[in-house]
Amino acid sequence: MSNIADLIEEYILRQLAAQSDGRVELRRNDIANKISCAPSQISYVLNTRFTQDKGFEVESRRGLGGYIRIVQVPIQRLIYQDMIDKIDDDTPFESVQSMAKYLLQHEFVTNREAALLMQAVSFAYDKMEPHDRTECLHALFSTLEKFS
């Protein structure tokens, strides 16, 4: 038999799957009544199994009229954000080149987009000061994220 945390997770995932936009708003007490558990157990599941690292954004308000809003974040967004977070003034050219190759290998960008990205990265490393290069690379990866 599954433990309570598994049942809560399964219930929330089923509710998310039923929504076409990957977003659901629930009430802790409603979940607790359906599964016969304490609201604190729901909080535990939200804090451990519905994290940003696992592709979820959770907004929660307690009390009367409280809710839990869970949004499933597309994996692409997480990958781009991770790359942006890793690029700073000291990031070597090879690391950014690897990021571009990763995007191409996993079909987040086309061959043409990867070629343009690599050309821009090469220019940034050859002609820009580290701070300006970092801003430029952040803008490039942010733009790719928005249009993916």
Side-chain angles (χ1 to χ4, degrees), residues 6-19 35:
D6 291 339
L7 294 173
I8 295 167
E9 179 183 22
E10 183 180 316
Y11 176 82
I12 293 171
L13 288 173
R14 271 190 274 123
Q15 297 302 312
L16 263 171
Q19 304 300 317
I35 298 177

Side-chain angles (χ1 to χ4, degrees), residues 96-111:
V96 180
Q97 187 177 34
S98 292
M99 291 176 191
K101 287 179 182 178
Y102 178 90
L103 294 174
L104 178 61
Q105 288 172 341
H106 291 85
E107 299 180 351
F108 291 121
V109 295
T110 64
N111 283 330

Side-chain angles (χ1 to χ4, degrees), residues 29-42:
N29 286 336
D30 292 344
I31 299 170
N33 290 336
K34 286 186 195 265
I35 298 177
S36 299
C37 68
S40 62
Q41 290 172 302
I42 296 163

Side-chain angles (χ1 to χ4, degrees), residues 58-114:
V58 178
E59 181 183 345
S60 178
R61 179 185 292 165
R62 293 178 182 259
L64 192 58
Y67 61 87
I68 304 165
R69 184 175 299 131
I70 303 169
V71 179
Q72 198 164 14
V73 180
I75 191 73
Q76 283 179 285
R77 181 174 166 201
L78 295 174
I79 290 169
Y80 280 112
Q81 282 304 307
D82 182 57
M83 289 179 178
I84 291 167
D85 291 344
K86 288 179 179 174
I87 297 172
D88 61 23
D89 294 356
D90 299 322
T91 304
F93 172 78
E94 293 76 17
S95 294
V96 180
Q97 187 177 34
S98 292
M99 291 176 191
K101 287 179 182 178
Y102 178 90
L103 294 174
L104 178 61
Q105 288 172 341
H106 291 85
E107 299 180 351
F108 291 121
V109 295
T110 64
N111 283 330
R112 183 178 185 182
E113 292 165 341

